[in-house]
Amino acid sequence: MRDLAILGAEPAFPEALHVGRPNLGDRERFVQRVEDIFDRRWLTNNGPYVQGFERLVAERCGVRECIATCNGTIALELLIRGVGMEGEVIVPSYTFVATAHALQWQGIRPVFCDVDPATHTLDPARVEELITPNTTGIVGVHLWGNACDTTALEAVGRKHGIPVIFDASHAFGCRHQGRPIGGFGAGEVFSFHATKVLNCFEGGAILTDDQELAEKLRLMRNFGFESKDNVVYLGSNGKMSEVSAAMGLTSLESVDEFVGINRRNFELYREELRGLTGVRLLEPLHPEGFNYHYVVLEIEGAELSRDQMVQVLEAENVLARRYFFPGVHNMEPYRSLQPMAGLPLPQTARLSDIVMTLPTGTSVGKSEIEVIASIMRAALCRPEQVAEALAVPSGDA
Ligand code: T4K
């Protein structure tokens, strides 16, 4: 059996394995594009690379309009404002903090809703219970690339006359109900951050079929300028730069390959982790239309807790992450502003305690996955010894 670093052995990996290590496309193609940007001295403000990137993303998602932005958070802020949300908006707490910040930043109160334990996405029945006269919208998150129950959420939205939008930051390349994610609700937002399946260094996009909304969003993205010297709308600066679009175009050329590698990794993890008591791999809702960008484990009923397992792996230089611990409602400013927000969130609390994500992507292969699984297996074979060596007390989360 493998010796463990936590028990004094050398770490299994000399260099850290990350969750979110960027997938890089063809270096030459990217450099050519950057040379071209230099030659033409057009660096940002709706340049040709941004326009080309928008066209290709819209085409791929089968959506009329794509508005590229400097990151996913700004894209969310613009879309939230663009569809007229204010007052209170229902949102999961089990997400990356940016989903809620995009609301709070504009003085909108995020009302935290629990998630479905099977999919980790908004539970439509719980959403309905939280609607008040002040509710002006719903923001669903396609967490890990698993689509929300869009039909049920949109039905709730229609019933109460409020818009539903989706934070699809994790879901580029995923499908739902036979079509690509990007075209659901009043609009959807992608993140193209370095750690995402499609990467622009920093970047994001809003997708919508509503041309009037798209026009408004384009104004909002560029300070409200309709033409030179003519500001017709309250706006911000959400523009994507040409170099980010060049990276996006380069990533787009390789994204199917990245997804193929992610899928292979996912299947290897499934094989290697089979039979480990208390270790459950979250399966995709739609295996054929999934980007496999996150390898998500639930550690529950095992001889070691999730936190202990993360520590064991960290000692081996495997930087597993506790996404999305501890739930946004437990972070500031929400913890102070809404101290009771956690009461109706039992699934969020549970998932925050048991979920961890493992490294995948192009910098991880069969040998790394075999070693990671063997570390977990070895730790679970001698839980008392491991627990003793760790700072945190043993538990069975
Ligand atoms: N909504 C959702 C549901 C989201 O998940 C996100 C972002 C957003 C909205 C907002 O979209 P953006 O405004 O970011 O476009 C990371 C990302 O920064 C963040 O984009 C992402 N979600 C989130 C899930 O993950 P951190 O704070 O965990 O990042 P960090 O710095 O710890 O990096 C993650 C790992 O990746 C580290 O182990 C280091 C490694 N890494 C990172 C970068 C940037 C590299 O190896 N190379 C790199 O260049 O948030």
Side-chain angles (χ1 to χ4, degrees), residues 94-96 119-121 141-148 167 170 324:
Y94 194 61
T95 179
F96 188 62
T119 61
H120 300 187
T121 61
V141 181
H142 303 313
L143 208 76
W144 319 125
N146 274 325
C148 294
D167 176 346
H170 299 178
F324 286 101

Side-chain angles (χ1 to χ4, degrees), residues 14 17 28 31 89 105-106 142 144 147 154 158 179 190 206 263-264 358 367 375 383 389:
L17 290 183
E28 291 289 307
V31 170
V89 168
W105 191 253
Q106 348 197 33
H142 303 313
W144 319 125
E154 291 187 61
R158 264 194 311 278
R179 59 191 170 102
F190 289 126
I206 309 166
R263 184 170 188 166
R264 177 208 65 193
L358 291 175
S367 58
I375 293 166

Side-chain angles (χ1 to χ4, degrees), residues 60-368:
R60 194 177 161 122
C61 295
V63 175
R64 269 202 202 120
E65 303 284 346
C66 170
I67 298 107
T69 57
C70 52
N71 60 52
T73 306
I74 288 283
L76 275 171
E77 288 174 15
L78 296 180
L79 181 59
I80 285 163
R81 189 179 279 265
V83 298
M85 290 181 182
E86 52 186 25
E88 293 179 1
V89 168
I90 297 172
V91 66
S93 170
Y94 194 61
T95 179
F96 188 62
V97 71
T99 319
H101 276 357
L103 293 162
Q104 187 73 42
W105 191 253
Q106 348 197 33
I108 300 169
R109 180 170 181 264
V111 174
F112 295 112
C113 182
D114 216 0
V115 291
D116 178 335
T119 61
H120 300 187
T121 61
L122 267 187
D123 181 339
R126 302 284 83 78
V127 170
E128 181 100 55
E129 292 165 4
L130 293 172
I131 303 257
T132 74
N134 297 327
T135 310
T136 63
I138 300 167
V139 181
V141 181
H142 303 313
L143 208 76
W144 319 125
N146 274 325
C148 294
D149 185 345
T150 54
T151 306
L153 291 175
E154 291 187 61
V156 175
R158 264 194 311 278
K159 182 169 158 196
H160 296 276
I162 54 175
V164 180
I165 63 171
F166 295 103
D167 176 346
S169 288
H170 299 178
F172 187 81
C174 296
R175 298 177 70 83
H176 176 54
Q177 297 179 345
R179 59 191 170 102
I181 283 184
F184 293 87
E188 301 209 59
V189 162
F190 289 126
S191 164
F192 300 131
H193 182 257
T195 55
K196 297 292 187 287
V197 70
L198 179 73
N199 126 46
C200 293
F201 297 130
E202 290 274 2
I206 309 166
L207 279 87
T208 181
D209 279 319
D210 180 338
Q211 281 169 309
E212 206 177 308
L213 174 62
E215 232 163 82
K216 198 155 76 172
L217 292 167
R218 286 208 170 84
L219 289 174
M220 289 166 71
R221 177 182 64 174
N222 185 27
F223 313 102
F225 274 106
E226 188 191 48
S227 56
K228 214 179 273 177
D229 304 331
N230 189 24
V231 172
V232 297
Y233 213 81
L234 174 64
S236 183
N237 181 356
K239 288 168 280 137
M240 177 180 273
S241 73
E242 284 291 271
V243 80
S244 282
M247 186 64 169
L249 286 164
T250 310
S251 303
L252 261 179
E253 287 161 0
S254 297
V255 73
D256 292 330
E257 187 196 323
F258 300 155
V259 168
I261 290 167
N262 286 343
R263 184 170 188 166
R264 177 208 65 193
N265 287 349
F266 181 87
E267 283 164 3
L268 285 166
Y269 272 119
R270 184 201 279 136
E271 197 54 41
E272 292 293 326
L273 295 171
R274 182 163 289 152
L276 277 190
T277 306
V279 176
R280 191 168 49 243
L281 180 65
L282 188 75
E283 292 285 339
L285 274 178
H286 305 294
E288 294 312 316
F290 201 60
N291 62 24
Y292 295 90
H293 186 59
Y294 290 97
V295 173
V296 181
L297 296 185
E298 295 178 352
I299 312 290
E300 190 173 37
E303 295 284 337
L304 295 169
S305 69
R306 184 275 313 270
D307 286 354
Q308 288 172 318
M309 192 57 86
V310 167
Q311 278 192 273
V312 166
L313 288 166
E314 276 178 355
E316 308 282 356
N317 253 332
V318 179
L319 307 186
R321 295 294 296 256
R322 299 188 296 176
Y323 289 142
F324 286 101
F325 175 84
V328 175
H329 69 284
N330 283 318
M331 297 176 170
E332 292 296 356
Y334 313 104
R335 192 171 49 195
S336 299
L337 290 173
Q338 304 188 40
M340 309 306 263
L343 290 180
L345 305 175
Q347 292 305 334
T348 300
R350 180 179 149 264
L351 294 176
S352 303
D353 281 347
I354 65 172
V355 167
M356 64 184 232
T357 56
L358 291 175
T360 185
T362 50
S363 48
V364 175
K366 189 171 190 303
S367 58
E368 287 86 1

